[in-house]
Amino acid sequence: MTIATFVLLFLAAVAGGAINSVAGGGSFVAFPALLFAGVAPVPANATNTIALWPGSVASAVAYRRELQELRRELAPLAVAALAGGLAGSILLLRTRESTFVLLIPWLLLFATLLFSFGGAVARRLTRGARAPLALAVVAQLGISVYGGYFGGGMGIMMLAVLTLLGMTHIHRMNALKNVLGTLINGVAVVAFVIAGAVRWAPGVVMIAGGITGGYAGAAIARRVDPRHVRRLVLCIAWGMTAYFFWRTYFHA
């Protein structure tokens, strides 16, 4: 690994960890950085998952007080998160490299659209609605499969499900979302490690960067309006989506 690659991966992970702690969307920075560094797409996705996972664990721990009030919802949604995350990770590992290369632009487009418009759509669809817990569990299972496979924008999808349950307290919603995200990515990490899909040299660099960015993000969150960070993430997300469509389908 060259010094330039080391710096690229570390800074991308710092940015990804910080963005996740403030507004979400860190994978739009970290995953492309691994591809630019020459890591093959499927291992890049696996390595990206393990690189940003410690930050999500820290976020979940920070919300432990709020979780005490969500015991009824936590257990069934956690089971769905674990089952779906495992299924999605196995699906990724069984996807051929050439197929995943063609899917990358579309996965990025879906995640970018979700990040751009998911919150507004969810608010419109769920206004005044309250779904039974069983329906929310089924929805969470589907989100978790997507999360184990790719995961970009899944946090917005989970918040929409929690809104369907009638939740309105944003800190409790974020607490449950972070725990479920930790479980989804955690079981995926185990599957990726067992399958040997993680590239540890760049992975260790990005884990260090992700932890650094996660801690820095906590300080940034107190000084920076999350809306500004979100706008930056949107610019990066749309730029990366356009680039990968060009590289995959139009670049000779």
Side-chain angles (χ1 to χ4, degrees):
M1 184 187 302
T2 66
I3 294 176
T5 301
F6 179 97
V7 172
L8 168 68
L9 294 175
F10 182 79
L11 291 180
V14 169
I19 288 169
N20 277 346
S21 68
V22 178
S27 290
F28 289 121
V29 178
F31 176 64
L34 284 159
L35 296 179
F36 292 143
V39 181
V42 170
N45 197 21
T47 305
N48 173 66
T49 299
I50 198 171
L52 297 181
W53 185 64
S56 65
V57 173
S59 297
V61 171
Y63 278 112
R64 60 187 178 277
R65 289 184 181 177
E66 285 77 7
L67 289 173
Q68 295 176 3
E69 303 171 24
L70 298 170
R71 293 175 183 174
R72 172 180 172 270
E73 294 86 359
L74 179 59
L77 290 174
V79 171
L82 288 170
L86 180 60
S89 61
I90 292 173
L91 182 62
L92 174 68
L93 293 171
R94 294 187 176 181
T95 301
R96 290 194 302 178
E97 201 79 54
S98 58
T99 302
F100 192 69
V101 167
L102 297 176
L103 286 175
I104 287 173
W106 299 101
L107 289 168
L108 285 172
L109 178 61
F110 177 73
T112 301
L113 288 170
L114 198 63
F115 196 80
S116 300
F117 308 112
V121 172
R123 285 191 294 272
R124 284 182 175 272
L125 291 176
T126 59
R127 187 174 296 169
R130 185 183 179 93
L133 181 58
L135 179 60
V137 169
V138 173
Q140 180 62 47
L141 180 63
I143 293 168
S144 302
V145 172
Y146 168 73
Y149 189 82
F150 188 68
M154 72 172 179
I156 292 173
M157 300 168 75
M158 286 192 284
L159 287 176
V161 169
L162 299 181
T163 303
L164 278 172
L165 287 174
M167 293 187 186
T168 56
H169 193 291
I170 188 60
H171 292 310
R172 292 174 188 166
M173 293 170 71
N174 269 327
L176 195 48
K177 180 204 73 174
N178 287 338
V179 168
L180 295 175
T182 298
L183 294 174
I184 293 167
N185 289 329
V187 73
V189 163
V190 172
F192 294 151
V193 170
I194 291 175
V198 177
R199 297 297 174 263
W200 286 106
V204 169
V205 172
M206 295 192 79
I207 287 171
I211 293 172
T212 302
Y215 276 109
I220 292 171
R222 298 185 182 95
R223 297 179 177 87
V224 178
D225 189 335
R227 291 176 295 180
H228 298 326
V229 181
R230 180 180 172 81
R231 292 187 190 109
L232 174 61
V233 173
L234 283 171
C235 289
I236 294 170
W238 282 109
M240 288 294 102
T241 300
Y243 170 78
F244 279 101
F245 266 105
W246 171 79
R247 192 176 88 161
T248 304
Y249 294 104
F250 303 106
H251 182 52

